[in-house]
Amino acid sequence: MPEPLVRGDALLLVDVQNDFCPGGALAVPEGDAVVPVLNRWIGAARDAGIPIYASRDWHPAGHVSFEERGGPWPPHCIQGTEGAAFHPDLTLPEAAEVISKGTDPDRDQYSAFDGTGLGERMRAEGITRVWVGGLAQDVCVRASVLDALAEGFDTHLIRAATRPVDVQPGDGDRALTEMREAGAIIVEEAEPVR
Ligand code: VGL
Ligand code: ZN
């Protein structure tokens, strides 16, 4: 049964950025399909008065994760570029808290909780339950969900609001299994309950 958003919940949007959408530098297939789904969740979160956190991959040029430095990825989400901007159709409210990660040139941070203080900030806001969507299901969403669980949050992944990059076929499905086995609740619905 879908549950409504209540006080103590938070919405976490992971890396809904142009470079992870079709046409971007590190495009996730159908990555932009998460935007209308997340916009409905943003509306529900605003109606319920619960906080919205939006992480962004925010790399300096020459980041350690780029192929030029032996990393796995083409250059992407370079600070201040169009590719690093949130998708233009994402209706992120002014009040949303933006979490920048991947800013250290020599270290990657796939998780929105890794070295950002996000867990502390959520606890300070009285958050106990987190609803997660965004990109990519098998990279930064996976890492963020696993960290949210490790931080002790009751963690729900909105499956319709995420897509995998699937560098190896099946990566997205394996990540779903891993998140579920770690204790995440995978909800399918495209529409939040109001
Ligand atoms: C991501 C690859 C490299 C992500 C970030 O946000 O999922 N993927 N950097
Ligand atoms: Zn990155």
Side-chain angles (χ1 to χ4, degrees):
M1 266 294 281
E3 296 160 74
L5 299 175
V6 293
R7 193 182 168 84
D9 284 356
L11 183 61
L12 173 58
L13 315 181
V14 177
D15 301 3
V16 186
Q17 293 167 273
N18 289 322
D19 272 344
F20 298 126
C21 291
L26 209 174
V28 173
E30 301 179 356
D32 54 346
V34 308
V35 172
V37 180
L38 286 172
N39 283 342
R40 291 193 286 273
W41 281 82
I42 288 169
R46 296 181 73 160
D47 289 352
I50 70 161
I52 300 170
Y53 299 86
S55 72
R56 62 181 181 184
D57 215 30
W58 198 244
H59 296 311
H63 188 258
V64 68
S65 75
F66 297 172
E67 284 156 352
E68 69 209 53
R69 289 190 58 194
W73 310 112
H76 63 278
C77 296
I78 295 175
Q79 294 169 9
T81 63
E82 195 51 38
F86 290 118
H87 189 287
D89 296 338
L90 189 71
T91 54
L92 205 57
E94 278 291 318
E97 286 201 48
V98 175
I99 314 292
S100 299
K101 62 185 183 59
T103 55
D104 182 334
D106 300 318
R107 192 174 85 83
D108 216 347
Q109 291 159 279
Y110 288 144
S111 162
F113 292 89
D114 181 1
T116 61
L118 178 58
E120 280 304 314
R121 282 159 72 177
M122 285 184 170
R123 271 187 290 277
E125 292 292 321
I127 303 305
T128 57
R129 186 166 71 165
V130 184
W131 301 82
V132 185
L135 302 168
Q137 179 176 313
D138 42 358
V139 188
C140 290
V141 169
R142 170 189 172 278
S144 299
V145 163
L146 294 177
D147 270 359
L149 290 163
E151 296 252 10
F153 297 106
D154 177 4
T155 307
H156 293 234
L157 174 68
I158 309 157
R159 209 213 44 82
T162 187
R163 289 292 186 286
V165 59
D166 276 338
V167 171
Q168 303 294 329
D171 280 352
D173 289 339
R174 279 188 289 276
L176 273 188
T177 302
E178 210 179 340
M179 291 185 271
R180 190 182 288 118
E181 286 178 356
I185 296 171
I186 318 287
V187 299
E188 294 293 326
E189 63 263 29
E191 304 267 0
V193 179
R194 305 223 186 188

